[in-house]
Amino acid sequence: MAQAMAATSTILPAPPDDGRASPPGRGPAGAPARACLAGASFKPEHLRDILAQDAGAAGAGFFEVHAENYMGAGGPPHRALAEIRQRYPLSVHGVCMSIGGPDPLDRRHLARLCEVVRRYEPLLVSEHLAWSSHGGAYFNDLLPLPYTAATLRRVCEHIDQVQEALGRQLLLENPSTYVAYDASTMSETDFIRAVSRRSGCGLLLDINNVFVSATNHGYCATAYLDDFPLEQVGEIHLGGHDAQRDDQDEPLLIDSHDRGVAAPVWALYARVIERLGPVPTLVEWDSELPQWPVLRDEAARAGRIMARQGHAAQAPVS
């Protein structure tokens, strides 16, 4: 895991050869790169409808894919994505690097990620602040971390390895969580701020994750965002969630990406954009897929919110 304005996009040039990370929202050598982009998850089911529309018409200005879906050598997935890449900028979003895991990074997986990035030259590359593997076992989930000094060192070491291999900056996404660790010695926002400062990574702010976690743990989403290091944000995610009740009949939200963005999340997004200005914003929708116009209109709404702030940047589609 909205845009009635015309989709105005920019494709960034290649990153600096020296491998140093650029600040979030900036291109190589500090060149401005923060165009007013509102994007959507790319799903092959939508390919025909996307290609049938004018690339300059109202709709998504960029598309995001999960890196792991394109780590094979070829076939229909790559043919479809190549057609999208000819017309739109891409964002590559990793889900299996296990940045926070106790084990060393899987070098083969990292090499495959690097190949996807080399092949498609995405606008942005991101991963999750989470762990998903241990001792050779792989879990189909993004699991939470204790926010301690030891975890901070490990996460920064892993980010350093990824950024060095990519030769560019990685954006790190804040998690949605359902449990917390008593062992944590710092808040999530302080931990994320420290990771960004030490590693030089940028941040992917998932506002739906903020709302989900705040509801599940009983804290204020607005206060969380007020303490979040917004100056390091290079991309924003929006998405839908499922509202349930836990065993104590308390509210329980699940980051499901299977429906439209909820009204409270839109309100939080508008507040962030008012403070931060335009940031590439991606609407995630990964299951129970709607028809393409529904997802396109969700992205269009994000574009309208950015435009209303008077920050909309105009740049030609390359």
Side-chain angles (χ1 to χ4, degrees):
M1 61 34 302
Q3 175 189 336
M5 57 176 281
T8 57
S9 331
T10 182
I11 296 178
L12 300 185
D17 289 336
D18 63 6
R20 292 177 295 179
S22 301
R26 308 290 292 183
R34 207 176 237 183
C36 187
L37 290 172
S41 300
F42 170 63
K43 303 301 177 186
E45 294 90 334
H46 294 149
L47 177 64
R48 181 176 298 179
D49 289 335
I50 293 168
L51 296 181
Q53 70 181 19
D54 183 348
F62 75 104
F63 288 93
E64 185 164 281
V65 296
H66 289 167
E68 288 74 11
N69 291 336
Y70 297 91
M71 289 183 172
H78 283 291
R79 286 197 296 271
L81 189 57
E83 290 193 75
I84 292 295
R85 183 61 181 88
Q86 288 175 359
R87 300 179 57 154
Y88 296 95
L90 286 180
S91 174
V92 168
H93 190 47
V95 297
C96 296
M97 190 62 70
S98 200
I99 288 284
D103 296 338
L105 294 183
D106 184 331
R107 294 188 177 275
R108 291 176 299 177
H109 184 83
L110 178 55
R112 289 191 288 264
L113 173 64
C114 290
E115 176 56 23
V116 171
V117 171
R118 183 204 64 77
R119 186 170 188 168
Y120 291 105
E121 298 181 337
L123 180 77
L124 302 164
V125 182
S126 55
E127 249 291 354
H128 294 82
L129 179 59
W131 65 279
S132 56
S133 63
H134 178 61
Y138 295 84
F139 306 99
N140 188 28
D141 211 338
L142 296 165
L143 301 168
L145 301 169
Y147 298 133
T148 66
T151 308
L152 177 62
R153 286 193 299 272
R154 182 170 66 248
V155 168
C156 289
E157 288 170 0
H158 287 169
I159 291 173
D160 286 346
Q161 292 175 42
V162 174
Q163 291 187 143
E164 183 175 352
L166 292 173
R168 61 181 293 167
Q169 186 182 52
L170 182 73
L171 303 182
L172 189 67
E173 179 180 341
N174 58 291
S176 60
T177 59
Y178 311 93
V179 297
Y181 288 88
D182 289 339
S184 291
T185 58
M186 61 188 86
S187 70
E188 184 170 287
T189 50
D190 283 344
F191 185 89
I192 289 171
R193 181 180 294 106
V195 168
S196 183
R197 285 176 177 171
R198 290 195 187 188
S199 69
C201 75
L203 300 176
L204 192 170
L205 172 58
D206 190 313
I207 296 178
N208 186 61
N209 285 358
V210 172
F211 184 74
V212 165
S213 296
T215 301
N216 291 343
H217 298 297
Y219 59 78
C220 175
T222 300
Y224 179 102
L225 289 169
D226 286 344
D227 194 43
F228 197 86
L230 293 180
E231 69 279 1
Q232 299 302 323
V233 172
E235 184 181 5
I236 290 174
H237 273 184
L238 303 170
H241 58 259
D242 183 27
Q244 303 180 10
R245 311 292 295 187
D246 66 15
D247 291 342
Q248 284 74 46
D249 200 34
E250 296 293 331
L252 174 66
L253 301 186
I254 306 297
D255 182 35
S256 55
H257 298 178
D258 61 355
R259 63 199 69 194
V261 179
V265 176
W266 280 121
L268 291 170
Y269 174 65
R271 189 173 184 274
V272 168
I273 293 300
E274 184 176 5
R275 292 178 56 194
L276 192 56
V279 180
T281 299
L282 189 284
V283 176
E284 298 182 286
W285 203 315
D286 295 323
S287 62
E288 303 295 332
L289 292 180
Q291 296 297 309
W292 165 241
V294 174
L295 179 53
R296 179 192 62 201
D297 291 348
E298 285 282 282
R301 185 171 178 179
R304 287 197 300 272
I305 290 170
M306 285 189 276
R308 280 201 299 268
Q309 299 304 324
H311 297 296
Q314 300 297 319
V317 174
S318 299

